[in-house]
Amino acid sequence: MLIVAVLFATVLFRFAIVLAVVYRILPATRICPHCANDLTLIRHPILRRLIPPVEHRWCIGCGWNGLVRRPPRPPGFSQSRVISRAARS
Ligand SMILES: [Zn+2]
């Protein structure tokens, strides 16, 4: 039984390491990595509940979309730039 607990703990530890590395390599910016335009937040309720520090963003200029780390909000942030996922479809 002890070996099962040790193996399970190592699996959890590897999973935590992978999550930490993936989180660290996500860009923490509101600037598009391809064209340097501002990224627009896409509301994603499931992602927001499961992983709050990660956001789904979309570039209006080139169409890039992807996950980014939530950067600190700048002063004067406007909610009007937020596009809900339902409005896109
Ligand atoms: Zn772009």
Side-chain angles (χ1 to χ4, degrees), residues 6 10-11 14 20-21 25 32-33 37 43 50 52-53 57 62 68 81 84:
V6 169
T10 59
V11 168
R14 278 185 271 165
V21 169
I25 64 173
C32 177
N37 277 340
R43 286 194 179 190
L50 290 179
R57 291 192 169 260
C62 70
V68 297
R81 297 182 60 203
S84 74

Side-chain angles (χ1 to χ4, degrees), residues 9-71:
T10 59
V11 168
L12 287 180
F13 187 63
R14 278 185 271 165
F15 187 69
I17 290 172
V18 168
L19 282 180
V21 169
V22 167
Y23 179 74
R24 289 298 299 166
I25 64 173
L26 288 176
T29 182
R30 290 193 169 97
I31 305 297
C32 177
H34 291 274
C35 67
N37 277 340
D38 287 338
L39 293 174
T40 304
L41 176 66
I42 300 172
R43 286 194 179 190
H44 206 296
I46 296 172
L47 180 67
R48 189 177 191 105
R49 288 179 196 232
L50 290 179
I51 315 169
V54 173
E55 295 178 332
H56 187 195
R57 291 192 169 260
W58 172 57
C59 176
I60 296 175
C62 70
W64 179 89
N65 72 72
L67 298 177
V68 297
R69 281 189 279 162
R70 182 181 305 229

